[in-house]
Amino acid sequence: MKEFKPTKLDKETTDGTVRNLDALYQLFPSCFTEAKDAISGDIRRVVDWSKLRSLLGEYVENDEPEKYDFTWVGKRAAQREAAAPCRKTLRPCKEESVDWDTTQNLYIEGDNLEVLKLLQNSYMGKVKMIYIDPPYNTGNDFVYHDDFDKDYSEYDEHNKFEDGVRFWKNTDSNGRFHSDWCSMIYARLMVARSLLTEDGVIFISIDKNEILNIVKIGDEVFGSSNRIGIISTINNLKGRSDDAFFATCNEFLVVFAKSSHVLKLKGFALDEEEMDNDYEKQDEIGYYKLIGYRKTGNAWKREDRPYMFYPVLFKDNNFTTVNKEELSKIFNVKTQQFDDEYVSYLTSHYSALGYQVVWPKSETGELGRWRWGVQSFYEQKDYNLEFNRAGTLCTKMRATLEDGSIRVKTAKTMWYKPEYDTGSSARILKALFGKSDIFDNPKSLVYMTDIIKISTNEDSLILDFFSGSATLAHAIMLQNELDNGHRKFIMVQLPEETAEDSEAYKAGYKNICEIGKERIRRAGKKIKEEHPEAKDLDTGFRVLRCDESNYKPVAFAPKDYTQESLDMFLDNIKDERTGLDLLFDCMMRWGLELSLPYDTQKVDGCTIYNVDEGSLVACFDGVVTSAVIDAIAETHPLRVVFRDSSFTEAAQKMNLFELFKQKCGWTDQEVQNNVRVI
């Protein structure tokens, strides 16, 4: 009987370079060969560059002296940083969470580059929309510490420390002012792209300081063909009076798709005048009047479009109209007059037959015209007609979209609503917190809602890794209440300290994360109070904190080994880490979503964690007995994790191996694949 050696779960994220090699292997397997690693002596898969070059032919760059390229000081280091593995973990903070057991939302504290890497196993290819509002690099912004070959001695007292993470004020006196910002955002976008679904999209808010660089970086990371929009957003209609030459009244929203050929965006009208010029919106679920009324452009009166004046007849959930003979009597071609007596007759006649008769009328009651001609009724085209909540005949205009989403006006590249104004956003926060100036320049709630409407479905997963005051989370909850959606969010924010003289600090909020979490709590409570019917609305969130690894360092040079370090091999888990810490680390390493439900049970003094009804079952306590194995086997698990220190002898591991074969019906290989230790 061979010895059973359970595989250990990885203690760090996958090297990004390995992911790239795997992707390349899928395209060009013939360009790979095997070679011995010069350090470890292991045989590994490597690229045969000469074969790859021959396959790519003339499309390989040959160190031409002149070529189109976008680069900066530190770019290669940023690429290495994006690909480098991360050994940290995400620790659950149950006491700071809301509806921990049932919520599908996450709020994660920590450096967003590290967090993005940690999320890759669980959320790669699952995020429908990403929105970020990164530092605009105005000369006063703090940017994240990344090891981009930087000599930190050049920085002054503005440097900050927070939970072991260093970040600094990127002043314009820094000789690498733009380069440092480019490196920071480049690495994060490279990792974030892997999280998007194939039909996913990312929105990046930015101002004039880095608009050119973010477009070039986005073109490189996502591909220029996937840059689908550069939108000017009016957020201060009066303009900043202290600006030289031109008073700035806008910022930009740069939009990239993961794959533009499969992306579908929903349009929307942006202000009341624009809506009146196209379709008059009646409510927030996609109804539009059929009346041909416009404030400008073509008139709505029936005299201007006589053949678009006809009754719509409704009976037995079916819409139709009068026949061609009746239609010809409504308008006399020779006299160019309408026969209003005949119009009244048709109304009475069809009403007596049980039809609801609807003529096109304006809000003032004047007879008008429909937006479409009568021929469509004769051809039995589907307008998706129905009566809205106000009883007005409307269309949902779904006919031309394959996925059934509402067809509305295509969004333009200039957005404006009065609610986009920064003052409006500040007032919303003041109403929530009872204080002004809790957070500088919060994003507009309506602005976030519009981005959600245009880019997501009712069950989409949405990520913001510069979360700030968590406006996006607030908007997601509002939109879910509005359309009965089940969108889920992941907010990521570095716990940047608030200034001691700030209103936020005086109110007890010592860092930005505390503001964001409290906003979600208060906003969720307010929404449920105002909409008691929304009982199933998810306004909770699980708080996770990026922290150092759960494992003690066990790699030492031979000369550094001591009796104490040898004792570590008996149990490599840090003393202060709980079973819940270990469970979430295992979920993350094995690719399970961190919002999945779990339950616990006690067997022989051991706690058994069961995630998502058997997706992962774990026990991290003491000696694992056969009773514990029995209880785990009864859950029909897909994955099982134990603590390596629970097995002090090889015989115990062999017994574990045999028990799982018997009780779960697994083969030798299935036991090897499905059982891990930490």
Side-chain angles (χ1 to χ4, degrees), residues 422-438:
T422 52
S424 174
S425 310
R427 287 190 291 273
I428 290 174
L429 270 189
K430 183 178 180 180
L432 277 177
F433 285 87
K435 289 179 177 290
S436 59
D437 301 324
I438 285 291

Side-chain angles (χ1 to χ4, degrees), residues 1-6 623-626 629 644 646-660 662 671:
M1 184 181 296
K2 66 178 182 179
E3 182 181 356
F4 173 53
K5 293 182 178 180
V623 177
V624 177
T625 65
S626 59
I629 302 298
D644 198 25
S646 298
F647 307 97
T648 56
E649 298 177 3
Q652 291 176 318
K653 292 182 181 179
M654 200 64 245
N655 187 46
L656 171 74
F657 179 79
E658 292 299 327
L659 284 170
F660 273 112
Q662 296 171 14
V671 177

Side-chain angles (χ1 to χ4, degrees), residues 33-50:
T33 186
E34 293 180 346
K36 182 180 290 188
D37 187 281
I39 298 175
S40 67
D42 295 335
I43 299 297
R44 60 176 184 166
R45 188 177 61 185
V46 296
V47 177
D48 186 326
W49 181 234
S50 62

Side-chain angles (χ1 to χ4, degrees), residues 332-343:
N332 190 312
V333 178
K334 293 181 179 179
T335 63
Q336 294 290 301
Q337 297 293 320
F338 289 92
D339 189 337
D340 288 328
E341 289 186 5
Y342 191 69
V343 168

Side-chain angles (χ1 to χ4, degrees), residues 557-587:
K559 64 183 180 62
D560 296 327
Y561 278 103
T562 64
Q563 184 58 49
E564 183 179 354
S565 64
L566 289 172
D567 290 342
M568 276 196 231
F569 292 119
L570 298 176
D571 189 355
N572 65 334
I573 308 298
K574 292 177 180 176
D575 295 337
E576 75 277 10
R577 300 303 162 97
T578 66
L580 205 56
D581 289 329
L582 301 179
L583 178 68
F584 272 77
D585 189 75
C586 291
M587 291 169 64

